[in-house]
Amino acid sequence: MTPRRNDPRFGPDDPSTPPEPDREAAGDPGRAGADPGDDEDAPQRADRLAREEAEDAEFDAAIKAIVSSGLIAGPDPGVVEEIRAGGDARREESPEGEGLGERSEAPAGDRPAGEAGEAGPSREALDAARLLALDEKVEEIYHEILTRAPEHKVQPTLQRVRDVLEMMGDPQRSYRAIHITGTNGKTSTSRMVEALLRERGLRTGRFTSPHLESVRERICIDGRAISREGFIAAWEEVEPFIDLVDADSQASGGPRLSFFEVFTVMAYAAFSDAPVDVAIVEVGMGGVWDATNVLNADVAVIGPVALDHERWLGSTLQDIASEKLGIVKPGCTVVCAVQPVAVAEMVRERAAELGARLVESGPDLRVVSRETAVGGQLVTVRTPAARYEDVPLSLRGAFQADNAAVALAAVEALFGGAALGGDVVEHALMSVASPGRLETVRTSPAVLVDAAHNPHGASALADALIEYYPGRLVGVVAMMADKDAEAFLGELEPVLEAVVVTGMSGERAMDAEELAGIARDVFGRDRVEVERDLLAAIDRAATLAEEDDDAPMTSPAVVVTGSIQLVGAARSLMGRPAPDGA
């Protein structure tokens, strides 16, 4: 199937209208130098000029209204004045010899760069104003949804989500699905699954969380963040049904749909409207009561299970695994990553109980070999269907090779267990990206960002840092208050020379001084500094990384880690584009 890429949700083109030729400027006989009193067309010309001036005035008023928002002005308020003044400036610069109010009719190719029409703001300015006005609407919707229960507050029921989707005709049943849970690696695995499916020519929807920079990243279609228009349309489509279910729930003493429940409904509706062939859906937290679990997915992926979110999922691995295994449905295929022994046994029991086919890590699903390569690594992977030799993988770290093996097995399962073409695997994995996962965002010295935020993730990060960055390493760290900061920092202590503790906004964030106290217990007082401003913290860490380096053949590096929110802020500060074209 050929991907249907020209979807209206990605925003229509806005071609400019070619200017009407000016007969006077072109030398039309009987025009230049003619007596206006003898010109039979003079009244018509006057009417035309009056209409054009009225249209200009109306257009300028609309532009002024659009750009009046602070969001549109952005960091440089002069942008507003540039857009507002654009038309007047061009009219004042019209060539000599034209009548009062007449516009330059020079050929398009002779106009100044950026000038798209006869007058008024440039095409670029109009496009920017339009997009920023849409951004303002997206932000307004996002903040409205933020007034609901936060996404980490899991509600022990799926009924509200089911009710909304049923009213809408159950859009989640209109496509096949791969459902992914686990403590770490969900997003990277989702992206690899998506890349493999798209290389096979299928149209995909991907739902992941949380986002790094733009809320539109959470809902992707064909590998691109949902367009501004698509996001707005998805909200407007689901809002009436959400209002009905909210009212019904509150009438019986229950809550409104939560933040994450609303986004799940929006994603499922957007995927149906696109329409997609396959949805790749990452759970928000856990599985049993996760809002995404209204799916009856063809394939359930169980990523590595470790301790995290204990406040909501339980204090033992068995408790957490039990929650995550809730996504396994009768008759599906379960693809399971490497697990602790107790968790692996629980997966086998669950699959047998529900009659699900099980593909688990072991002799038939494993990374056979891997070696570091420029820009990533070369991996050889064994799956139940094939052995994929020396596949270039653009993501770094042993954990990403493991994720690739799981992704390959999941896509094979979707196609009934058949092997994938070597060219499909190579093209997909050599180009896949996972922003915020051991990503370089600056050089000299290298500044890396990694979304590790629990001890299991920190351990994987430490191993990758040793493999790829043998020079002096300094960390910039901030964390959420509910995380096991001591264990997280303990995993990184052997590989970091020092840490600079910084701050984050939000009520869930751990105070920088509190985190610094924990860091001093782990690293010692001399290896910990505090700088609440993130940019200043990165600069200080870079200075520390470049100090007293006894290994001149190696390069120092800074790693920003501990929170996805922190990583998103660092990417933005370093000028990295928002993921997936958001």
Side-chain angles (χ1 to χ4, degrees):
M1 177 180 293
T2 301
R4 292 159 290 190
R5 303 189 186 280
N6 297 321
D7 188 89
R9 288 184 174 274
F10 293 92
D13 292 335
D14 184 21
S16 60
T17 303
E20 177 183 331
D22 183 350
R23 289 181 293 176
E24 181 176 3
D28 188 15
R31 292 287 175 227
D35 184 346
D38 297 332
D39 188 351
E40 296 180 359
D41 291 339
Q44 290 86 345
R45 291 180 62 218
D47 288 344
R48 178 171 65 84
L49 291 174
R51 286 196 305 272
E52 290 173 347
E53 289 173 358
E55 290 170 0
D56 286 344
E58 182 180 356
F59 184 76
D60 289 346
I63 290 298
K64 290 176 182 179
I66 291 175
V67 301
S68 62
S69 137
L71 175 64
I72 288 178
D76 181 9
V79 172
V80 174
E81 295 307 319
E82 179 183 348
I83 295 175
R84 286 177 172 172
D88 293 338
R90 270 184 292 279
R91 281 190 287 271
E92 291 172 1
E93 294 170 359
S94 59
E96 292 183 5
E98 291 192 323
L100 183 62
E102 291 283 344
R103 301 168 180 171
S104 171
E105 301 300 335
D110 295 333
R111 295 177 191 152
E115 185 170 341
E118 297 172 286
S122 70
R123 168 73 179 274
E124 290 81 0
L126 294 179
D127 286 346
R130 180 181 66 84
L131 292 179
L132 287 168
L134 290 170
D135 279 334
E136 185 177 48
K137 180 62 176 177
V138 168
E139 195 72 7
E140 177 187 322
I141 293 169
Y142 177 44
H143 282 287
E144 181 174 342
I145 299 172
L146 277 173
T147 64
R148 297 169 177 271
E151 59 187 312
H152 62 273
K153 188 174 181 180
V154 177
Q155 304 285 344
T157 178
L158 299 177
Q159 195 57 50
R160 287 185 298 276
V161 174
R162 285 196 180 108
D163 288 345
V164 173
L165 292 172
E166 184 178 2
M167 289 180 181
M168 298 179 66
D170 285 318
Q172 79 281 6
R173 296 182 181 177
S174 65
Y175 37 79
R176 302 182 70 186
I178 295 176
H179 205 179
I180 302 176
T181 189
T183 301
N184 291 306
K186 296 186 294 296
T187 297
S188 293
T189 303
S190 296
R191 287 176 170 275
M192 289 188 231
V193 167
E194 176 187 54
L196 290 162
L197 291 172
R198 292 188 65 216
E199 196 65 36
R200 282 288 301 259
L202 295 176
R203 191 167 204 207
T204 58
R206 171 167 47 86
F207 182 49
T208 56
S209 60
H211 58 276
L212 283 169
E213 297 177 47
S214 167
V215 68
R216 295 189 290 111
E217 299 165 28
R218 292 173 179 250
I219 303 171
C220 287
I221 297 171
D222 274 346
R224 303 286 292 177
I226 190 171
S227 69
R228 297 160 175 85
E229 295 92 339
F231 184 91
I232 295 165
W235 166 249
E236 291 175 345
E237 179 181 2
V238 305
E239 183 184 18
F241 302 102
I242 287 172
D243 288 344
L244 288 172
V245 173
D246 280 346
D248 186 60
S249 177
Q250 290 178 307
S252 59
R256 298 189 301 163
L257 272 78
S258 70
F259 173 97
F260 190 71
E261 288 173 330
V262 169
F263 269 101
T264 298
V265 169
M266 288 176 64
Y268 289 173
F271 294 161
S272 180
D273 290 342
V276 304
D277 301 306
V278 184
I280 305 102
V281 177
E282 173 189 322
V283 303
M285 187 186 301
V288 174
W289 301 120
D290 190 80
T292 63
N293 203 29
V294 295
L295 280 176
N296 284 314
D298 303 79
V299 182
V301 174
I302 313 297
V305 175
L307 292 174
D308 196 17
H309 299 301
E310 293 98 320
R311 184 182 301 180
W312 298 280
L313 301 181
S315 58
T316 69
L317 281 178
Q318 288 85 346
D319 290 340
I320 294 170
S322 180
E323 287 290 324
K324 295 183 183 299
L325 286 172
I327 72 167
V328 179
K329 304 296 170 55
C332 75
T333 298
V334 181
V335 177
C336 186
V338 176
Q339 303 290 357
V341 174
V343 173
E345 185 56 35
M346 292 177 66
V347 175
R348 295 184 196 109
E349 291 175 358
R350 177 73 170 174
E353 175 188 345
L354 296 179
R357 173 176 175 255
L358 175 61
V359 178
E360 62 178 323
S361 292
D364 292 331
L365 178 58
R366 61 191 177 95
V367 177
V368 176
S369 66
R370 53 178 295 272
E371 59 180 282
T372 301
V374 175
Q377 55 189 313
L378 286 176
V379 299
T380 295
V381 174
R382 176 69 192 175
T383 70
R387 179 184 171 106
Y388 301 97
E389 295 274 358
D390 294 331
V391 178
L393 175 61
S394 60
L395 305 177
R396 295 172 290 180
F399 65 99
Q400 294 290 20
D402 292 336
N403 291 337
V406 169
L408 283 165
V411 175
E412 287 178 351
L414 191 73
F415 291 107
L420 305 177
D423 57 337
V424 167
V425 175
E426 181 174 327
H427 293 163
L429 296 187
M430 73 186 301
S431 61
V432 69
S434 192
R437 278 72 182 176
L438 208 61
E439 178 187 15
T440 302
V441 295
R442 194 176 81 180
T443 57
S444 299
V447 176
L448 322 169
V449 294
D450 191 86
H453 55 273
N454 53 49
H456 183 268
S459 176
L461 171 60
D463 290 342
L465 290 173
I466 292 170
E467 180 178 6
Y468 287 90
Y469 297 94
R472 183 180 173 93
L473 298 169
V474 176
V476 174
V477 181
M479 299 188 74
M480 295 298 180
D482 58 285
K483 300 299 180 181
D484 187 347
E486 183 176 4
F488 178 89
L489 293 169
E491 295 288 350
L492 293 173
E493 188 275 334
V495 302
L496 298 182
E497 294 289 334
V499 293
V500 179
V501 176
T502 191
M504 288 191 302
S505 61
E507 58 185 32
R508 284 186 65 205
M510 184 180 295
D511 180 74
E513 287 297 339
E514 180 183 353
L515 181 57
I518 298 172
R520 292 184 187 107
D521 290 340
V522 175
F523 283 80
R525 300 189 66 85
D526 294 342
R527 296 169 64 194
V528 178
E529 295 190 16
V530 179
E531 177 53 72
R532 290 181 178 272
D533 179 77
L534 177 55
L535 184 57
I538 293 173
D539 287 342
R540 178 57 183 156
T543 299
L544 292 172
E546 293 178 316
E547 284 181 356
D548 302 323
D549 193 347
D550 296 328
M553 297 303 293
T554 61
S555 300
V558 172
V559 57
V560 182
T561 189
S563 164
I564 294 175
Q565 178 181 321
L566 178 72
V567 164
R571 291 184 85 259
S572 181
L573 280 175
M574 297 296 105
R576 299 296 296 172
D580 305 312

